[in-house]
Amino acid sequence: MQITQNSAVTIHYRLTDAKGQLIESSFDADPLVYLHGMGNLIPGLEKALEGKTQGEQLEVTIDCEDAYGPYHDGLRQEVPLEAFGDIQDIVPGMRFIAETEMGQRPVQVTDVLESSVVVDGNHPLAGQSLTFAVEVLEVREATAEELAHGHIHGGGHDHEGGCCGGHDHEGGCCGGEHHHEDGCCGGGHHEEEGCCGGSGKGGCGCHG
């Protein structure tokens, strides 16, 4: 069976950057199970897998436009320290969900200044070309329930957003955020380390 729209696909993958450095791999863990054609993978990888069958292996390099997009300078902004409320010990690498005029956006701390924090709303892999080595383990028809829910049920890494797609899910694959219901400043929102609640200029809301 070939991989087509609405196929349930199981793959192993190895992801490296333009310098050949390993970013992540499923080969030493559970395979990824995803629903093809539902945006669970980055566009370039989904295109490369179209028509492939069980047992096939491929290696493909994907430009940033078909991966996580170009890097937008406008998504890197300085946020007043008070926007982080009572969150202590803010350090580079922390991830937050920023409240912006365009809704919630995941951001990562890149620098901590005396009275402000520099956060970046770009995906960690934005602006990069990526190389995937993929082995197709299984291809089957998705069930009616899986199609209705838009994701696969059971087996392997069963993420609603899918791996390599930049969506939020447990496991942090390809830079995905971990969102925990710990309540952020402003209350009731999901966060990993917390939430910077600024909007407008301080909230990293620009789509560049």
Side-chain angles (χ1 to χ4, degrees), residues 12-25:
H12 267 312
Y13 68 92
R14 183 178 296 105
L15 170 60
T16 55
D17 63 17
K19 297 180 180 179
Q21 296 179 323
L22 179 66
I23 297 174
E24 64 185 35
S25 173

Side-chain angles (χ1 to χ4, degrees), residues 87-96 107-110 192-193:
I87 298 172
Q88 302 295 319
D89 300 323
I90 299 172
V91 297
M94 281 184 169
R95 290 175 181 164
F96 296 87
V107 298
Q108 181 168 314
V109 174
T110 59
E192 177 178 356
E193 301 290 350

Side-chain angles (χ1 to χ4, degrees), residues 83-85 87 95-99 104 183-186 189-198:
F84 291 81
I87 298 172
R95 290 175 181 164
F96 296 87
I97 299 300
E99 293 289 351
Q104 295 183 353
C184 58
C185 51
H189 301 295
H190 299 303
E191 55 173 311
E192 177 178 356
E193 301 290 350
C195 176
C196 47

Side-chain angles (χ1 to χ4, degrees), residues 40 46 71 87 92 101 111 136 143 148 157 159 171 182 197:
N40 294 164
E46 205 163 52
Y71 186 89
I87 298 172
E101 292 177 345
D111 197 10
V136 180
T143 66
H157 286 301
H159 306 307
D182 296 328

